[in-house]
């Protein structure tokens, strides 16, 4: 009976967020606590559905560590987290026949810019050369040479906005079982593309990136390859191997793996121009929104907490107030000082406080407000798609003039409506809704608003990539550099 070790470590960071993340940002599931993900739309949940359906498999859950997107993980935080993960693996790895590791791929720590590569190298050292290791990855991850040298197989998200978490885990789980039972000899080809991308063309349901992903799915489904994906990295994770890249895995056929990886990379490259953020100046967006009868969304992708931003941008609120925009505005902001003041005063009280600029003060000057406390909560909710718990800490709903603002104490993912709903607010009751995420699932906003404005605003996750100040990633890199010659080539990994 094959024994399978299960490990998870997931976080995405923005190197341009001034607030470091810490060990306490992580939700840790130890041993059998990982079974709490049964039935959830997570990679672990998907893998468990495969493993537990196999009567001859014994599972050895080791540890799961998951954190919301944030700034660079601190030195102390990384040392404690990595030690705990590797200690858990070491105590459980004896006698296992295969290993599944669920990763994001866009981590970064102070002193270790390839945390996933570090963990996989240590796990491979403990496992020895013969035990297969399969990983799953977010398509926004950065798969490094060091990671590829440790693994035998992979599965990569195929959707953005992401809805196929569990499906990716299922694909990884099936691959690991096939390796153990069928004698697959995996070959992985990697084609690096010197481009960072952002924008609406990355929406896989409608964009040109989705057309390329469907080609990856076709060659998986028709048996040409075992696995294929195109990882676009997280352009805000400034690390040495940040890039876009094609990954193709075959059963021993190096030629097919190379050809398909290079073909897809060659098809991606001419479309890099389309795959850039198309931003509208904030003043123009306000002027246009003021003439639209139906509801509109202001997308504040520059302060997207799910991409690693601090969440304390008040740029849109300030501009709307300055322009005297008169319709009903709904927004969210991370500001523990304002949330604490509201909790101290109580529901119904009027308070004088500031909003924004709590963490990223160089970008955002705090905005004074006189507001009424409409509602107080513990800031707990669940993501709509993944059903994973959110904990934003003490949270308050403040109102002033025509503004309703949900004030959070901690940054959590805001790529759905969970934190609005859990604080008694329905976005459809408002005229202008601020969304701190580059994209959401279509039905959440785009299916019913008149217009979604992708705002050009400052922030740690701005789609204006040249404005961020990359200093570590390889150069030349489009669009940071313009004149780049590119001929697709690939590197083959075969353990």
């Amino acid at each position: 009976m094959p024994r399978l070790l299960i490990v998870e470590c997931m976080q995405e960071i923005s190197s341009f967020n001034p607030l470091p993340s810490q060990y306490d940002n992580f939700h840790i599931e130890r041993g059998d606590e990982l079974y709490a993900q049964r039935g959830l739309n997570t990679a672990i949940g998907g893998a468990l559905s495969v493993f537990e359906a196999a009567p001859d498999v014994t599972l050895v859950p080791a540890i799961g560590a998951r954190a919301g997107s944030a700034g660079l993980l601190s030195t102390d935080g990384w040392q404690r987290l990595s030690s705990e993960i590797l200690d858990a693996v070491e105590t459980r790895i004896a006698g296992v026949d295969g290993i599944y590791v669920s990763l994001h791929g866009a981590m970064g720590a102070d002193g270790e810019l390839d945390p996933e590569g570090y963990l996989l190298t240590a796990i491979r050292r403990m496992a020895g050369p013969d035990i297969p290791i399969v990983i799953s990855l977010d398509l926004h991850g950065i798969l490094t040479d060091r990671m590829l040298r440790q693994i035998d197989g992979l599965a990569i998200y195929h959707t953005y906005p992401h809805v196929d978490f569990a499906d990716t885990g299922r694909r990884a789980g099936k691959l690991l079982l096939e390796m153990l039972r069928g004698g697959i000899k995996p070959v992985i080809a990697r084609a690096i593309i010197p481009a960072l991308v952002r924008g609406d063309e990355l929406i896989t349901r409608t964009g040109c990136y989705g057309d390329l992903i469907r080609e990856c799915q076709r060659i998986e489904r028709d048996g040409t390859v075992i696995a294929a994906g195109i990882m676009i990295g997280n352009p805000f994770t400034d690390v040495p191997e940040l890039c876009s890249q094609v990954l193709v895995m075959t059963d021993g056929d190096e030629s097919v793996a190379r050809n398909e990886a290079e073909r897809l990379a060659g098809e991606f490259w001419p479309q890099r121009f389309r795959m850039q953020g198309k931003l509208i100046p904030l003043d123009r967006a306000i002027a246009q929104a003021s003439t639209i009868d139906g509801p509109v969304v202001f997308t504040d992708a520059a302060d997207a907490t799910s991409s690693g931003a601090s969440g304390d941008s008040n740029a849109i609120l300030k501009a709307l107030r300055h322009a005297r925009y008169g319709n009903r505005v709904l927004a969210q902001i991370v500001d523990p000082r304002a949330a604490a003041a509201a909790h101290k005063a109580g529901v119904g009280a009027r308070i004088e406080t500031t909003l924004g600029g709590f963490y990223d003060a160089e970008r955002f000057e705090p905005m004074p407000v006189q507001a009424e406390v409409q509602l107080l909560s513990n800031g707990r909710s669940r993501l709509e798609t993944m059903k994973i718990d959110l904990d934003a800490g003490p949270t308050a709903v403040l109102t002033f003039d025509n503004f309703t603002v949900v004030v959070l104490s901690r940054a959590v993912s805001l790529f759905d409506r969970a934190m609005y709903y859990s604080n008694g607010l329905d976005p459809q009751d408002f005229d202008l809704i601020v969304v701190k995420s580059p994209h959401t699932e279509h039905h959440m906003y785009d299916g019913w608003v008149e217009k979604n404005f992708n705002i050009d605003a400052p922030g740690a996750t701005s789609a204006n990539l040249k404005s961020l100040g990359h200093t570590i990633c390889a150069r030349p890199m489009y669009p940071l550099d313009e004149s780049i010659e590119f001929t697709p080539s690939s590197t083959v990994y075969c353990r």
Side-chain angles (χ1 to χ4, degrees), residues 261-412:
E262 292 170 12
R263 175 178 69 85
L264 289 164
E267 293 179 10
F268 184 103
W269 180 248
Q271 302 195 66
R272 69 194 183 280
F273 304 103
R274 295 175 63 188
M275 291 187 273
Q276 299 299 315
K278 298 167 182 64
L279 305 173
I280 183 170
L282 182 49
D283 58 350
R284 178 175 294 186
I286 294 171
Q288 292 184 12
S290 299
T291 67
I292 296 174
D293 290 333
V296 299
V297 160
F298 272 25
T299 289
D300 188 8
D303 195 36
T305 52
S306 56
S307 300
S310 51
D312 62 338
S313 170
N314 55 20
I316 290 176
L317 291 175
K318 275 186 174 180
L320 288 167
R321 202 180 191 191
H322 179 75
R324 297 184 180 179
Y325 175 83
N327 293 333
R328 297 165 299 174
V329 176
L330 177 64
Q332 296 176 105
I333 199 164
V334 178
D335 192 324
R337 175 176 48 211
H343 275 258
K344 182 177 180 180
V347 173
R350 291 196 63 82
I351 62 172
E352 292 188 10
T353 187
T354 59
L355 289 178
F358 184 85
Y359 295 116
D360 203 344
E362 288 191 13
R363 288 191 178 99
F364 313 115
E365 182 180 352
M367 179 179 75
V369 296
Q370 293 182 348
E372 182 174 336
V373 182
Q374 292 290 323
L375 181 143
L376 299 172
S377 77
N378 58 13
R380 293 177 184 168
S381 188
R382 298 182 77 194
L383 287 172
E384 288 185 70
T385 299
M386 300 173 71
K387 308 302 181 187
I388 286 177
D389 291 339
L390 298 173
D391 186 355
T395 294
V397 176
L398 300 184
T399 59
F400 53 95
D401 302 325
N402 55 313
F403 294 86
T404 299
V405 182
V406 181
V407 184
L408 317 173
S409 290
R410 289 192 291 269
V412 295

Side-chain angles (χ1 to χ4, degrees), residues 116-133:
E116 295 93 343
Y118 176 91
L119 293 174
L120 288 173
T121 299
I123 292 171
R124 171 57 70 194
R125 188 180 304 117
M126 288 186 266
D130 300 326
I131 294 176
I133 298 175

Side-chain angles (χ1 to χ4, degrees), residues 93-148:
I93 198 169
V96 304
D97 302 286
I99 301 172
Y100 167 56
V101 187
S102 170
L103 301 168
H104 182 284
M107 284 187 73
D110 188 6
E112 178 52 76
L113 295 181
D114 182 15
E116 295 93 343
Y118 176 91
L119 293 174
L120 288 173
T121 299
I123 292 171
R124 171 57 70 194
R125 188 180 304 117
M126 288 186 266
D130 300 326
I131 294 176
I133 298 175
V134 171
I135 65 173
S136 58
L137 290 160
D138 192 310
L139 56 81
H140 289 109
I142 298 110
L143 183 60
T144 66
D145 174 81
R146 179 162 64 158
M147 293 168 68
L148 281 159

